[in-house]
Amino acid sequence: METFIALIGAISLGLRLYQIEHPNHVCWDEVHFGKYASYYINRTLFFDVHPPLGKIIFALSGYMTGYEGDFNYNKPGDVMRSIQYVGMRQVSALFGSAVVPISAATVWELSSSPIATILTAFFILSDTALTVMSRFILLDSILLFYMSLSCYCYVKHTKSRPFSSSWWLHLCGCGVSLACTVGVKFVGLFVVALIGLSVIGDLWKIVGNKSIPLEQFVQHILARIYTLIFIPVFVYCSIYVLHFIALSSSGPGDSFYSSVFQTSIINNPLYHAKMPEYVAYGSEITLKNYRTAGGYLHSHPQHYPKEFGAHMQQVTSYSQRHEGNHWILGAVSKELQNTNEHVYIKDGDSILLQHKQTKEWLYSVDEPAPLTHRQGQVGCYTDTSDNKNNMFKIKVVHGHQDDGRISPIYSVFQMIHINQNCSLSCKGRELPNWAPGQQEVTCNSDVSSQPASLWNIEEIFDARLPIIRLDWKHSRPTFFSRLIEAHLVMFANNQNLKPKLEEFRSRPWMWPLAYKGQLFSVEPHILMLGNPVTHVLILLLFVPTSYLFLRDMIIYQRSKAYKDTDKSLFTNILKVYRQMGWLGLAWLLHYLPFWPMTRVLYPHHYLPAYVFSCMFTGVSADHLLKRFASLFKPSTASVIQYFGVVLLCASTAASFYILSPIVYGYDSDAEDNPMLKYQVNTHWDF
Amino acid sequence: MVKKSNSKTRSNSSGRRSRSRTRKTNKYLLIGREKSVSQTRLISKQDAKLNGHHSSASTHKEATTPVEKPSAPEFVIKMDLISVVLYATALVLRIRNIQYPKAIVFDEQIMGSHISSYNRREMYFSFDPPLAAQFYYFIANLCGDWNKDFEFTEVGKLYPADMPYVCLRVVTVILDSLLTPLVYHILKTSKANSVSAILPALLIATDPTFIVQSRIYSGDSLSILLSLVGLYSALNFYRLNSPNCGATRWVLALSITIALSLSMKYSAVFTTLLSFSVILSKFWQNLADASYTKLMLWRQAALIILLPTLLPLLVYAGCWTVHVSTLHNAAAISSKSTLGTLSSAVELTELNVAPRPVTNGSLITLKHLHGRSCWLHSYDLMYPKRYPDGRGSSHQQQVTCYPFVDQNNRWIVLKHFTGVSGEDTADNLAIKHGDIVSLLHEQTGRLLNSHLVAAPMTSTKQEVSCYVNHNVSMDIQPGWMIDIDDRSEDTDDWLGRVSEIKLIHVNTSAALSTTSKQLPGYGADQYELIADSFIFHENTLWVADEVLPPSRAHSSQISGLSNITLLYCLEKIYILHKRIFVSVYDYSEDHEYSSSPLHWVTGHSTLLYWMHPVDNAQIYMLPNVLVWNISAFSLLILLAVQIVSNIRVRRGITPCHLSDTTTALEKHVAIGVGGYSLNLFPYFFTSQSPLLYNYLPALVFAYITFGYLVNHVTQSVQSSRWARILFYMILLQVVCTSFIFTLWISPLIYGSTDTSQLVLINRLQHLFGWRFSLNQN
């Protein structure tokens, strides 16, 4: 069997490496991950919703094979003739091709059935979507690799004697690869859930075994806590240490993070917080919302559309650094306005804010805000007459000095509108197309301190004030605070990945049917579409399997009614069902959570579940064949089994051969499009 | 045996006695009385059967142990009294000052607008099935004259004088107060003792959230009640000890309640799942029971699978059919905004599947039929004088194809009359194949035009614009011929939503078409629109997607013309379901008062139901923090107890054959914790922002779990008298707390105007950190 698994590995590597340099332009999401690799190589900070391990691996492989991070992956279709991209693709293919033998080995360890192993291997090997995914610079092949590796290690450890060296080795391996799986994509959490549930099941079994003394049971628990909790957390944190070390200098991702975070980024304007120590009247400042991934208080010359309350100049929250984010702190009293001395602002002072570009004043009026109707509208207005609608009181929440002065970055405060007694706030609701990409700023009548209504000063531009280095005085962001913030920002942004209206929406029900693919490249035509034949076979085989399962279970339950029936008949069958149950659980855990998700989904989200469904089908088809063959004479039975296996393997392999043009690319505009005659479903886009 | 038959007769007589007693009770308790009477009847009958069975089966060895029979005479009387008292408590607390406020309270807005829609026979869109609206429509018309022209525009709007809203509220309260005795019976049925059964019922009776929710007619509380009746039937089925005909009755009861509750609110599905699993687990047990023959098992399987699936399906389909076949009028556009924040203009227009003829003056949107789905669109911006590649343009108003629904997609059809225009007969106004029309852009008032100028991106095609006269000797050429591609033999009218048309420019014979190229910056990435002289391409096909008649006055006539056949019925149901289940993903906007499910558990969120427009009288849904936390905590304790007991059994510390208490415990955990999780956890995943009242079904189960926990504690403190007394004191304390809390915050439950309101609000804000909105001044 080992030979077979090695052979399968070689074949899958060959299938993935064949013409890997082709096409030589950026395909689909390579535009992201290639770009991120460049950022790592240039060591500039960027922001992405996925954890860093996969991108670090690509960056490393690109760096080793001579890519210098000089290509900027603008849009899909850009030709990358002169740069070294093949190395990164090869690494992806390497990881991707390992998935097949590892999964086959898992099934072999689990079921010890050659037929199940062969079927699994063929089902996974002949999937077109998996092959396509691991031919490009995409995270999924790495994710799948670590995912299948953790399952293999887990299964292998259950087959070893407790506390033997092999047991320890595989348990540790499982822990490490779990951490790596999560370190590539958060989808890895599903496999963590799978292993977690299985471990609880194992412990349950050990509790029931009365020959194991309680001390040994405690040892079992401790060993698992160490290998499956401590080691993964350590590995995961190490990945982030690498990440922060690699991305030390300022880049496009800076403004996603809080001001304190930015003081640790080289070349960022806030690096080491070199700026005036306190803010004074007349200073030019930028204000950042204290919410996770909060933006800057922003205004621009456009006015609110007529239907929204007062026809004032728009005030929004904008997440990028921009000239429109600059405000000048004005004093209320006439003496302060006219003095040339710099007077520091203190906690509890009333201030005015003037927008630097348009010279208009920040206002709030008793009109409903454009989206959140129960809160007040905020805008800019020219008038400075004494109606107090432009006066805000500063109420510092934390980080103020003993004398009440306010320092940039570290002082967090509320701005309370004096007339309305409401607090300037931004909940992060996106404004419609009259202010695209910006968020609503309101005046919240609830003046309790919540992150949405807290602000901090990020930068001060004031020539009058002496500049010092602030981060000596204040604690610098620690590794863990940065780690936590990076995660909060990721989760907040992951939530916001909403599908756009015009996009085709991939829904989970389409995935097991291979209903629709993802176009990778137009010229040549490359499509990531699951192999319809294997998908349909999996679904078809599921019907007799579930029928047989229900029937067996009912017979088993019924047998309890009669004391004299022989229950040993069922032990073998129950064992197979337990294996199938585990694989089925894995499939469901990787599939069902997508149903209620509101973020944008793609067909490749099904790939982890697909690998498990192949393993499940391998075991269940083996079981079906055996049960079916047992109806016949032993001599015919083996013939039937062989015939079945050969039929299944041949049909999957043949379907891969027929569909291989969509993997390796073909000319779809040609008059005699060779693929059109196979297009059963018009959504396939051949 | 003597003893048993004795108890049987006693229980029967006691049933009679209780009936005669309850008959004397207050008229107000009519429904409660009937219910408890039927309860008595059922239970006494059941007892009779049980006893009969035992006497007959006593000769062969009976494997099953006899259930703890509720046959002690005093027990039955007490049960009735208790039910009545519980019902009365709930009713008194709920019905107080029911006519106030005389204004729309929270979800009454939605339900009320649905009733009005039913009265006007107008189609509306809702995320829930229509049975609740049908029920309230029926009640409303029994009660009085529903003012169907009253617009349910916003919460807090005053009802007109003749609106029978009080009647609807009273009906809801009368029905919903049944929840209290029902919870009591659910606990009794699952073998909890009386004290632990009364306790959760009392807590529900006094819980301010349940009170507030029962006082408005929104359909939610009814659906909760019905789904719990389903659970009650399922538990009774589970309790049946031998194959007898009682099974059919309970399964039938279950099926009916499932049918009704699911046709009211989809959220009832969670409790329904629990009831199903109760029934299935009973069947699973029966499989291992030798006293069931194969035939009996087959019959039972057929019963429990067919009845609870087919009956709900029938009722569900039936109420939808009634829904779409009675509501045949198109909704007025002005009322769209009243249908809650979630529905938008698109849905309603898409519901009018009946083809509507396009006539002279109709307001239409033109949708591109093949390829990219987009609408003919224009806006007040000109083509740039010179394109980036150096070519010039007409510098007239841009016309594009826009993939979103927008005001700027609307065009007015103007028919070119040949010769003298006759009178406005229907025939004359209709637009037929071959007619020539102009399209007037509604927002900018310019006419759709084409001319021999190259299109912005595709220089080989003709530009399409909205004509602006720049005095450069470029004449307006606004004539377009309607070429209906799929016209049938009997009519060549242009029908909205059906006719696939080509618009052929009269002067140049080119057809309106699009390319898939996006205009750069000046055209805001919208798709290029062209006139193509190759008119046979499928890209030139358009369909009038949305057709509004020339004036609203005509609308009822026109929709009346379209005869609605069964096909349309099915199509409408299909479209509505697609909307409900697919478009859920589109609407993830935040509700004003949405709260995180995590905050429900600890009682951190509140929900504003109504607020007086001037002073600070208001109705709030406020959680009873202490009791909520206790019951949520009891879930954890019960689960922990279960786990420990399981481990003990598994480890062999407790003897392996399961004792009565452990099986009871297992069942209680399954119902309490299972029901709670089923009703709570889905809300962590929904895209629609959940509101506090979505927690109520889960809360019922939290209280039930609390009852189970009390049951198990009383069993374990039975030995020590003092411990028992102490424990009962604590329980009394909890109930009193719940009651006192409700009394304390009653101004915020009943919304009465009171000068002490502000003091109370301040206190609450301070104590629990809740946020209130106050009127300024």
Side-chain angles (χ1 to χ4, degrees), chain A residues 3-45:
Chain A
T3 342
F4 170 76
I5 289 171
L7 188 70
I8 281 291
I11 294 175
S12 75
L13 188 62
L15 286 177
R16 279 157 179 78
L17 283 180
Y18 173 69
Q19 286 191 348
I20 194 145
E21 70 287 346
H22 189 75
N24 65 352
H25 57 247
V26 179
C27 290
W28 196 51
D29 268 4
E30 279 190 333
V31 72
H32 297 304
F33 301 112
K35 198 192 296 166
Y36 297 148
S38 316
Y39 284 136
Y40 272 109
I41 292 170
N42 298 326
R43 309 195 57 182
T44 49
L45 184 69

Side-chain angles (χ1 to χ4, degrees), chain B residues 273-287:
Chain B
L273 280 179
L274 183 72
S275 312
F276 260 127
S277 37
V278 167
I279 284 200
L280 284 180
S281 72
K282 176 65 181 173
F283 178 70
W284 198 245
Q285 281 176 18
N286 289 348
L287 274 180

